[in-house]
Amino acid sequence: MLEIHNLKKLYSSGKGLHSVSMSVSPGTITAVIGPNGAGKSTLFNVLNGILNRQSGSCTIENKDISALPLAQTGFLPEAKFLIDNFTVIQMIDYIVCMKKLAVDEDKIDWLLNGFSLSHQKNVLISDLSQGMKKRVSIICAVIGFPKLIILDEPLNALDIQSVLFLKRILIELKKHGCYILISSHVLDFLDGLTDKVIFLKDGRIILDCLYDGTKIEKL
């Protein structure tokens, strides 16, 4: 289990996270939803180690989340992180090398083909459209099927074909027993995929429940 207990991260403005507690089971997708400024990105940045928590604990399978090897984490931040003077395949190879992953050419080809990037793999990141950059970013987050996967607004700039392929990826990740957290303002996308819903408001959880198939818009 991924267990979060009394997690606190506040900014000087008073915004952030106030004693957030939640749990995530392996092989499931947890949707973290809420209005802008609710604390979703702060939560994700703390879990990924970009921000330090001020108090509380975050453990995965009874070990502090900070001890999770880089190869077992995948993060898609809302902000851009790609390197402009790399080509698509160089960017992917860089992530594979940095995480010390075993190279799986078949899996890389599957991801490139699914996102219609096979013919752009030697194109510079700087020359890609926003939608293509988002597809490359998703590939970098899921390559190697890491244990913990955090996707912050993955649908921004994606076309319908890419959205459908992302659903296929998420289904495969669930089969591999990954812990998956995802935020999205496109709530229809989450229907049929989500196992659990966490609703954040003003840095606090106001709803934490298993998803029973009720339309998320009604929450």
Side-chain angles (χ1 to χ4, degrees):
M1 293 284 285
L2 168 62
E3 300 278 359
I4 300 168
H5 292 291
N6 298 322
L7 178 63
K8 180 180 178 181
K9 172 61 182 178
L10 295 176
Y11 304 102
S12 57
S13 64
K15 293 185 177 181
L17 298 173
H18 301 264
S19 298
V20 166
S21 297
M22 57 184 281
S23 62
V24 177
S25 299
T28 64
I29 295 177
T30 296
V32 181
I33 60 178
N36 290 338
K40 303 184 296 295
S41 292
T42 299
L43 172 62
F44 288 174
N45 285 330
V46 169
L47 292 177
N48 197 57
I50 293 175
L51 293 175
N52 293 322
R53 57 187 183 264
Q54 292 165 333
S55 61
S57 64
C58 302
T59 61
I60 187 164
E61 297 175 1
N62 298 317
K63 295 181 180 179
D64 192 271
I65 201 167
S66 62
L68 194 64
L70 188 61
Q72 295 184 23
T73 64
F75 184 41
L76 173 72
E78 193 171 11
K80 174 192 168 187
F81 72 94
L82 301 177
I83 301 172
D84 282 340
N85 60 348
F86 277 10
T87 65
V88 170
I89 195 64
Q90 285 173 337
M91 187 71 226
I92 295 170
D93 287 344
Y94 172 75
I95 297 296
V96 169
C97 181
M98 181 179 66
K99 293 187 174 184
K100 299 180 180 179
L101 299 172
V103 178
D104 188 337
E105 298 292 351
D106 289 339
K107 185 65 70 176
I108 292 173
D109 287 343
W110 178 71
L111 291 167
L112 288 170
N113 288 332
F115 277 130
S116 300
L117 287 171
S118 295
H119 296 298
Q120 282 78 34
K121 65 181 181 179
N122 294 312
V123 175
L124 288 174
I125 297 293
S126 59
D127 292 334
L128 298 177
S129 67
Q130 290 303 310
M132 288 182 179
K133 289 178 182 177
K134 177 53 71 72
R135 291 178 237 167
V136 176
S137 298
I138 293 172
I139 291 175
C140 290
V142 304
I143 195 73
F145 281 25
K147 179 178 291 186
L148 175 63
I149 298 173
I150 300 172
L151 305 177
D152 196 357
E153 295 293 341
L155 300 188
N156 291 350
L158 288 189
D159 57 22
I160 185 60
Q161 180 181 341
S162 297
V163 169
L164 293 175
F165 184 63
L166 176 57
K167 283 192 173 185
R168 286 184 59 191
I169 293 173
L170 290 171
I171 290 169
E172 287 299 314
L173 292 171
K174 289 179 68 172
K175 291 178 182 177
H176 279 73
C178 302
Y179 298 83
I180 308 162
L181 293 98
I182 183 171
S183 71
S184 178
H185 285 98
V186 185
L187 301 182
D188 279 342
F189 172 79
L190 300 173
D191 281 311
L193 281 176
T194 301
D195 302 285
K196 188 175 184 179
V197 172
I198 302 290
F199 194 100
L200 279 175
K201 184 177 181 181
D202 298 327
R204 294 178 172 86
I205 292 177
I206 61 172
L207 178 69
D208 180 344
C209 66
L210 297 177
Y211 182 58
D212 63 1
T214 305
K215 292 289 282 184
I216 291 178
E217 286 91 333
K218 295 180 180 179
L219 297 174

